[in-house]
Amino acid sequence: MTTHALVRGSPTDLRVPPVSADEDNPFDAMTARLDRAAARLELDPGIYQILRHPERQITVAVPVRMDSGAIEVFTGHRVVHNTARGPGKGGIRFDPRVSLDEVSALAAWMTWKCAVVDVPFGGAKGGVLCDPFSMSPGELERLTRRYTSAIIDGLGPDSDVPAPDVNTNEQTMAWIMDTYSMHVGHAVPAVVTGKPLAIGGSLGRREATGRGCMIVTREALAHLGMSVKAATVAVQGFGNVGSAAARQLSRAGARVIAIGDKTGALYNPRGIDVDEAVAWVRRHGTLEGYVKGTTLTNDELLTLEVDVLVPAALENVITTKNAPNIRAKIICEGANGPTTAAADPIVEDNGVFVIPDILANAGGVTVSYFEWVQNRAGYAWTENVVNARLEETMVRSFREVLELSRSRRVSMRTAAYMLAMSRVAAVHELRGVYA
Ligand code: NAD
C-alpha cells in the first residue's frame, strides 16, 4: 500500500486552526488533530472534505423486555467513518455517556488507526446508552441481539466488523455473531472479532492491545536512550488494556510503581506485583481493597514522576488543567483520546514524548485483523505466530511514524495523522469518486 504518496507539503503550509471552546468534545478533538495534520499535507480539498465526514451514522431504538416484564427502549448508534481501504472496523461500547459525537470521533480514530498500522480496514464504532452494571446477563443478551438486528443491514465481514470496547466483551461478540449468523442462515465468524476462541477467536487477542503498548513503549525508550529494564511506569485504568499493558511492561523488566482504576489508585515505589493485582481484579471486579501500597487519587497518579505514563481508561484525562503538571518522560496512550487537543501543545512544549493513541493502542485492531484473516482462511495460527506478526507490525509502524516526525519536524501525533491521512487519501485518489 502507498505510504507517503501525498506527504508533500512544507512547514510553511501550517495553518493550525483554533481548538474548540469545548475541550471535552471528542469529535472536535479528533478534527482539531486532523486539521493540524492536514495543514502539513497538500491534500486535494475535496478529498480532505471526504476524510472529515463519516460515511454513515445510524441511530436506532432498541426495545428490550426487562426481567421485570416491563419494556425499556434504549438508544444505539453505529457510525461508519470510512471504508475506502476495507470494511469498517471498530468496537461497540455499552455506557450511559455514549453520544453520537463520541461514537463518530471513535469511528474516525479507527480509520486513522487502521491506516497507521496499514491493515486493510476502514473505521467504525458503535455504542448503546445503557448502564450495563445494573442489567442482568439476560437483559444484556436481549439488548445486544436487538441492537445487532437494528444495524444488521450494514454489518458483514466485507462491510462492517464490530469488536469489544468499554463494557462489552467476548460474550457480547458471541451474541452478535450468533444473531447475524441466524439471519443469514449459516455461521459467519468473521462478522466480529474479539470472539471466544471456541467460535473463531484468535490466540493472543485478549492481551494484544496491552502487548502493543509495551512494544511501542520499548521502542520509544530505546529512541530516548533508555532501557525498559530500568523504567518506572504508572498505569491509569486496570481493565483489558491497562492490566495487559502493566503485565507486559513488567514482564519486559519495567517497574510498575502505580496503577489505578475507577475506584482509586495505588503507589508502591518498590514495584507493584502486577500478576497479583490482576488476580485480585479477576476475583473482586476492581482494585478496591487491594492495599499493597499508598493510596493516590487518579490525578496524583497522572502527575507522578515516572519514565512512562500509560493512560488506559477514558477520554479527556489529560487536559489544560493538569497537563502542565505531567512529569512523565513518555506518555503511551493506551486509551482512545486520553489527551485533549488543547492539552497537546502543553505536553509537547514540556518535552514529553507522546506515543499517540492511534499508534499506541493499535495492537488490538492489528490482532483483530489477524483474527478476521484466520476466520476467512479457516485456519488458526499459533500464539507465537500471532505475537511475532504483532511485534513486526508495531515496530514497523512506530518507526514509520518516528521517521516522519523527524523528517517533517512535527510531533509524533501529527506525524501519525499525516501518515494515516496520506494513506487513506491515496486510496480515494486512486479509486476516484463514484458518480
Ligand atoms: P475496560 O472496561 O476493560 O477497562 C477500563 C478501566 O478503566 C477499568 O479498570 C476502569 O475501572 C477504569 N476506569 C473507568 N473510569 C475511570 C476513572 N474515572 N478513573 C480511572 N480509571 C477509570 O476497557 P478497555 O477495553 O481496557 O478500554 C480502555 C480504553 O482503551 C478505552 O478508551 C478503549 O476505547 C481503549 N481501547 C481498548 C482496546 C481493547 O482492545 N480493549 C483497544 C484499543 C483502545
Side-chain angles (χ1 to χ4, degrees), residues 93 113 165-167 205 209 236-241 261-262 298 312-314 334-336 361:
R93 60 174 60 177
K113 194 180 300 184
D165 194 70
V166 175
N167 302 331
R205 172 63 185 90
T209 310
Q236 186 200 41
F238 210 66
N240 185 324
V241 179
D261 69 6
K262 65 182 172 196
N298 261 288
L314 303 166
N336 287 310
N361 68 38

Side-chain angles (χ1 to χ4, degrees), residues 93 97 106 110 113 125 133 163-168 205-210 236-243 260-264 281 285-287 298 311-315 317 333-338 357 360-365 368:
R93 60 174 60 177
R97 289 160 295 192
L106 290 162
M110 287 304 298
K113 194 180 300 184
K125 206 78 178 188
F133 298 102
D165 194 70
V166 175
N167 302 331
T168 56
R205 172 63 185 90
R206 210 174 284 166
E207 291 262 311
T209 310
Q236 186 200 41
F238 210 66
N240 185 324
V241 179
S243 67
D261 69 6
K262 65 182 172 196
T263 64
V281 171
T286 65
L287 283 168
N298 261 288
L314 303 166
E315 290 113 62
V317 295
E333 294 186 333
N336 287 310
D357 48 7
N361 68 38
V365 79
S368 276

